Amino acid sequence: RTTGTIRGMTSSAPGFLKSAWTVARAETRELLSQPGIYLFVPIILLQVIGDTFFRVGPFETQLLATPGTIAVGAFNTLTLCVCLLLLFYTVESMERERKSGLGSIFLSTPVRTGASLLGKALANSLLAAGILLAALLGGLIVILIQGKVAFDLRPFAIVWILLLIPTFLVWTTF
């Protein structure tokens, strides 16, 4: 940490976690202003909810949606679609300052490179978590429409939180 004194005031470089949090907040705001989010997220949700609601079994009968079948059935679709979405927006996040002409200003700030990368990865992973939350609400709506099974968060927590969120975080840091 470097500390400087100007006219009796002291300043120091922000810590690693505070810097990462600041970058994550700024990146989240930037991500929410991207028009592609408002196009591709509903398409992903339509795919997940449509597959869940219109699944048929033997003899072309509609299958009953349970929390476990929704969590596991949507796993592949969410992994593929969200990882591709994260691939695009993570590259966009990493190149944003350079393309906007603010790269030299951003690089002159006291934010460490690792904190900047962590903040950008966290913001993109937060986008993925928002998509998972929306898919969870879609699954809840499907279960409520069918009205046969009680809703339970445990399958979603086990499959999506323990497997998908770390996958998204590793994918964005990769």
Side-chain angles (χ1 to χ4, degrees):
R1 284 188 142 161
T2 59
T3 303
T5 304
I6 300 174
R7 294 187 185 189
M9 297 183 292
T10 61
S11 67
S12 64
F16 183 82
L17 292 178
K18 185 176 180 181
S19 298
W21 179 248
T22 303
V23 171
R25 281 193 347 242
E27 281 299 318
T28 301
R29 282 193 302 271
E30 283 295 322
L31 281 172
L32 292 176
S33 70
Q34 299 294 321
I37 298 292
Y38 301 103
L39 175 66
F40 293 112
V41 170
I43 291 172
I44 293 170
L45 294 176
L46 281 173
Q47 180 69 33
V48 169
I49 294 168
D51 285 349
T52 301
F53 192 71
F54 296 110
R55 287 183 43 212
V56 292
F59 310 113
E60 297 298 318
T61 58
Q62 186 177 9
L63 292 177
L64 196 58
T66 65
T69 58
I70 293 171
V72 172
F75 186 83
N76 286 338
T77 303
L78 285 171
T79 303
L80 176 70
C81 293
V82 175
C83 279
L84 289 175
L85 186 75
L86 287 177
L87 177 67
F88 177 78
Y89 281 109
T90 301
V91 171
E92 177 74 21
S93 290
M94 299 302 166
E95 292 291 318
R96 182 172 292 118
E97 289 82 16
R98 188 180 66 78
K99 293 230 177 182
S100 66
L102 297 173
S104 58
I105 294 172
F106 180 74
L107 292 174
S108 69
T109 62
V111 175
R112 297 178 191 155
T113 304
S116 174
L117 293 175
L118 178 64
K120 290 173 182 276
L122 286 174
N124 283 291
S125 294
L126 184 63
L127 170 67
I131 294 171
L132 290 182
L133 181 63
L136 175 71
L137 291 175
L140 172 65
I141 290 170
V142 169
I143 288 175
L144 290 176
I145 288 172
Q146 288 185 347
K148 306 272 187 213
V149 179
F151 187 76
D152 187 12
L153 281 175
R154 286 178 293 180
F156 295 102
I158 292 169
V159 175
W160 289 2
I161 293 175
L162 292 179
L163 297 175
L164 274 181
I165 295 290
T167 299
F168 297 152
L169 186 60
V170 169
W171 180 255
T172 56
T173 58
F174 178 66

